[in-house]
Amino acid sequence: MIVIVDTNLARNENSYSELLGNRKQLQAIAASNELYIPAVVIDEIVTQKRLSFLREQAQINRSGILKLTSFSIDETESLAFEQVEKKIRSDKSIPFNVLPQAPVEYAFSRIYNWAINHEPPFEEKSDKGFKDACIVASIDFFLEQSSEEKQVLICTDDKRMAEYFKDRTNITVEEDLKNVIKLNNRPKVKESVETTTNTSDFDTKNAANADVNDLIEELANSLSFAETHSIISKLSSSPHVTTDQQELRILSVALENQQVEWILKDDDVSEYIKPIFLRHKEELIDNEYTRYLDAFDLPDEREEKRESPFFTTKEKRAFCNFINEIISHTVCKSHLSTFEINANTILARLQSLLKSHLLDSSLANVKSLTDILINGAVETKPGSISIDTISDFVNLLDNASPRKREAIMANLISHLEDIDDDISF
């Protein structure tokens, strides 16, 4: 079977090495079908990647944090999208055929009439839909040039494109890639059996699907937290079951729009988007994946693939609060002092310390902590430290993977080494 995929189901705008997204599904489809990607779709995906590239480049250049590092902004400014576009366009890690654009003399009159009469794939009350019309014309031309009638499955979540093809006996339209994969395993229906399409059900399904798509685009363009909460409420209460592609689009726009990303931790937003992330986490590129880990404070399942472990903002805060309290309440240490390097020993002693202060909100002084971390004489300043600060660090250490514990201990000792030595001890 020939499978033709539309832009929204193949997009992957934040990857600058791979052309197509939804990789697991498309790989499964390509393994048992002839996968075709229209040239219009390829051009549109590359354009989306270009805009994403320029947006991320601008964010890096505006970052005040980079000015505190040795990283040269000139390096990012020297990057040009043209350097990566050739690699993107040549990517065939998922095998597919390019469906070329229809010749102008074939396509122009058709597209003109569709637009003037507001016929599918154009919108009913406007001439919006030019790219879809180019895709439709390319498909029609491709099939007309074939010497035999081919069974074609078109993957699109665009209701007007689906409407254009709905009466074609040799064309099936699916809005979800998973359904395409399932079709390969369905028993074939005998030709003598007539199938009927319930137009009312078709229209109702497409109308609900369009409503969800509209809400997703409203989310992408939300200008305030209040507006975002309102849109999330409408999405979560919608009776329409979102497709995989719609959910991936939600995950994408939630990171693109800061009005959404900044409130991912809010109960209603988290309750709606977190399950979507958990369903599709394997399909996200690493930058998107780690931003969601940070937002929802989740464990890193890709840790083994990293050169160094990833710490969420919450984890970093737990570490920094703990060590900063110790440093600020410590005057000096003996130059003969050594540090406890066994994470399990430190964890056990800190847990014991917390048990002995279950009813306290703070520790009277930091000396009991430095005695756990530093072997040798230490002079501390008066002042208490919050029990919550100690508890947060204990939870961080207790839940850390072996690689994370190693990194935590290395950073802990590095900070303790910065405490001044006093030879009088």
Side-chain angles (χ1 to χ4, degrees):
M1 179 182 289
I2 291 176
V3 178
I4 303 172
V5 180
D6 191 14
T7 307
N8 284 344
L9 306 190
R11 62 191 294 161
N12 184 21
E13 63 191 55
N14 291 327
S15 171
Y16 307 120
S17 60
E18 297 167 338
L19 175 67
L20 303 176
N22 294 324
R23 301 188 63 76
K24 288 186 177 179
Q25 291 96 328
L26 290 179
Q27 284 169 344
I29 291 170
S32 53
N33 302 276
E34 292 183 66
L35 177 62
Y36 277 80
I37 307 295
V40 177
V41 169
I42 294 174
D43 289 340
E44 188 172 7
I45 290 175
V46 170
T47 298
Q48 291 171 349
K49 289 178 183 291
R50 179 188 295 275
L51 294 175
S52 178
F53 180 92
L54 294 175
R55 183 169 56 247
E56 290 191 22
Q57 188 178 52
Q59 288 174 343
I60 292 173
N61 292 341
R62 290 196 302 267
S63 174
I65 296 176
L66 290 182
K67 296 177 181 178
L68 304 176
T69 72
S70 59
F71 182 82
S72 173
I73 293 181
D74 292 339
E75 293 182 40
T76 61
E77 292 179 339
S78 67
L79 292 175
F81 182 74
E82 288 70 22
Q83 297 170 347
V84 296
E85 180 176 350
K86 185 176 181 180
K87 181 177 180 180
I88 293 171
R89 287 187 178 275
S90 64
D91 173 38
K92 286 297 182 71
S93 54
I94 297 175
F96 68 89
N97 302 296
V98 177
L99 184 69
Q101 293 188 44
V104 173
E105 59 271 18
Y106 175 91
F108 179 79
S109 59
R110 288 172 169 78
I111 294 175
Y112 178 82
N113 288 328
W114 294 335
I116 287 294
N117 297 308
H118 298 160
E119 295 177 0
F122 284 91
E123 298 293 332
E124 292 181 84
K125 298 180 180 180
S126 75
D127 55 6
K128 179 182 177 182
F130 176 74
K131 286 179 290 188
D132 292 331
C134 290
I135 294 172
V136 166
S138 298
I139 295 172
D140 279 345
F141 182 77
F142 171 71
L143 295 179
E144 287 179 19
Q145 300 308 301
S146 176
S147 58
E148 58 184 43
E149 186 173 274
K150 297 178 181 292
Q151 286 299 313
V152 176
L153 196 152
I154 299 174
C155 305
T156 180
D157 58 3
D158 185 279
K159 70 169 186 173
R160 293 292 280 173
M161 190 185 297
E163 187 175 345
Y164 177 86
F165 289 112
K166 70 177 182 180
D167 296 324
R168 301 277 281 273
T169 57
N170 64 321
I171 295 178
T172 304
V173 178
E174 281 289 348
E175 63 179 32
D176 194 322
L177 294 177
K178 284 188 177 178
N179 291 339
V180 180
I181 297 171
K182 291 177 183 177
L183 282 175
N184 293 323
N185 300 320
R186 291 179 187 174
K188 294 183 179 180
V189 180
K190 293 183 179 179
E191 292 183 3
S192 59
V193 178
E194 292 186 4
T195 59
T196 59
T197 302
N198 189 319
T199 304
S200 176
D201 288 347
F202 178 86
D203 291 341
T204 300
K205 180 180 178 181
N206 276 316
N209 188 57
D211 288 342
V212 171
N213 286 338
D214 289 343
L215 286 172
I216 294 172
E217 294 314 306
E218 286 180 26
L219 188 67
N221 298 309
S222 175
L223 299 175
S224 69
F225 297 149
E227 185 179 2
T228 296
H229 284 296
S230 175
I231 296 168
I232 290 294
S233 176
K234 292 175 184 177
L235 281 169
S236 59
S237 61
S238 171
H240 175 71
V241 178
T242 51
T243 66
D244 284 348
Q245 286 64 45
Q246 287 172 330
E247 292 190 339
L248 286 168
R249 179 63 178 152
I250 289 169
L251 292 177
S252 178
V253 303
L255 296 182
E256 292 171 4
N257 188 343
Q258 290 183 330
Q259 295 293 330
V260 184
E261 185 176 13
W262 283 344
I263 58 172
L264 281 174
K265 292 182 175 68
D266 287 10
D267 290 343
D268 59 329
V269 183
S270 175
E271 184 177 337
Y272 180 72
I273 294 183
K274 184 177 178 179
I276 296 176
F277 165 72
L278 293 175
R279 284 194 291 273
H280 297 283
K281 57 188 176 183
E282 295 302 323
E283 299 167 62
L284 300 182
I285 62 173
D286 204 53
N287 175 264
E288 297 169 330
Y289 174 77
T290 53
R291 286 165 73 182
Y292 275 112
L293 292 189
D294 198 15
F296 301 132
D297 196 37
L298 295 170
D300 182 10
E301 296 176 2
R302 301 181 184 179
E303 183 176 323
E304 293 303 318
K305 300 178 182 179
R306 301 184 190 283
E307 292 183 7
S308 58
F310 170 78
F311 289 90
T312 66
T313 299
K314 182 178 180 180
E315 291 172 328
K316 291 177 182 177
R317 188 181 300 117
F319 176 86
C320 290
N321 289 345
F322 179 76
I323 192 62
N324 287 342
E325 287 284 2
I326 291 175
I327 298 297
S328 65
H329 288 84
T330 303
V331 178
C332 58
K333 65 181 186 301
S334 168
H335 69 286
L336 298 176
S337 297
T338 59
F339 306 108
E340 179 56 63
I341 61 173
N342 189 306
N344 290 329
T345 299
I346 290 177
L347 181 61
R349 291 175 180 175
L350 288 175
Q351 289 172 334
S352 177
L353 178 66
L354 287 176
K355 286 180 182 179
S356 64
H357 291 80
L358 286 175
L359 302 179
D360 297 322
S361 60
S362 62
L363 198 63
N365 59 67
V366 80
K367 189 67 168 61
S368 51
L369 290 178
T370 57
D371 287 346
I372 291 174
L373 303 173
I374 302 174
N375 302 312
V378 177
E379 181 182 348
T380 60
K381 300 176 185 177
S384 62
I385 177 173
S386 169
I387 289 294
D388 287 342
T389 297
I390 304 171
S391 179
D392 288 344
F393 179 78
V394 167
N395 289 333
L396 168 65
L397 199 58
D398 192 23
N399 295 318
S401 65
R403 290 183 72 210
K404 275 194 171 183
R405 280 197 181 187
E406 183 179 343
I408 292 168
M409 291 304 300
N411 280 267
L412 183 65
I413 292 172
S414 176
H415 283 285
L416 294 176
E417 287 176 339
D418 289 337
I419 297 174
D420 291 337
D421 289 337
D422 188 347
I423 59 174
S424 63
F425 286 115

